[in-house]
Amino acid sequence: GEVWVFNKNYTQYIPLSVYELRSWIQTPSIVVLDCSNAGVLVPFFKGGLNGEDEGEDVKKVIVLGATSEGEILPTNPAF
């Protein structure tokens, strides 16, 4: 999977692979996925990208997802 993030100047979105993001994360860390369908990405952070065990370091990363799989964040500020 991939996530879209702002560039350094906050002028445009750029794609970032979850694999690349995981390689940047040092432990201990907390990752907050404040987006629709965050539950889809959580498994990619909890274990190996292909289902393999990543060892003890993966246990030192806490991943918080704002939504579950299939859930959409509200876009109306009244909510």
Side-chain angles (χ1 to χ4, degrees), residues 25-53:
I25 296 173
Q26 297 181 359
T27 58
S29 296
I30 296 175
V31 177
V32 179
L33 302 170
D34 188 17
C35 59
S36 297
N37 289 310
V40 172
L41 294 171
V42 170
F44 290 100
F45 285 94
K46 291 179 65 176
L49 293 175
N50 296 318
E52 70 274 6
D53 184 18

Side-chain angles (χ1 to χ4, degrees), residues 1 3 6 9 12-13 18-20 23-25 28 30 32 35 37 40 45 51-52 56 61-62 68 72-73 78-79:
V3 293
F6 277 115
N9 300 322
Q12 67 183 47
Y13 279 115
V18 173
Y19 179 79
E20 188 173 5
S23 71
W24 295 345
I25 296 173
I30 296 175
V32 179
C35 59
N37 289 310
V40 172
F45 285 94
E52 70 274 6
E56 288 296 313
V61 177
I62 297 171
S68 61
I72 298 173
L73 286 176
F79 292 107

Side-chain angles (χ1 to χ4, degrees), residues 7 10 16-17 19 21 28-29 36 59 63-64 66 69 72 75:
N7 64 0
Y10 298 99
L16 177 65
S17 74
Y19 179 79
L21 180 59
S29 296
S36 297
K59 294 178 183 175
V63 182
L64 304 172
E69 184 175 343
I72 298 173
T75 55

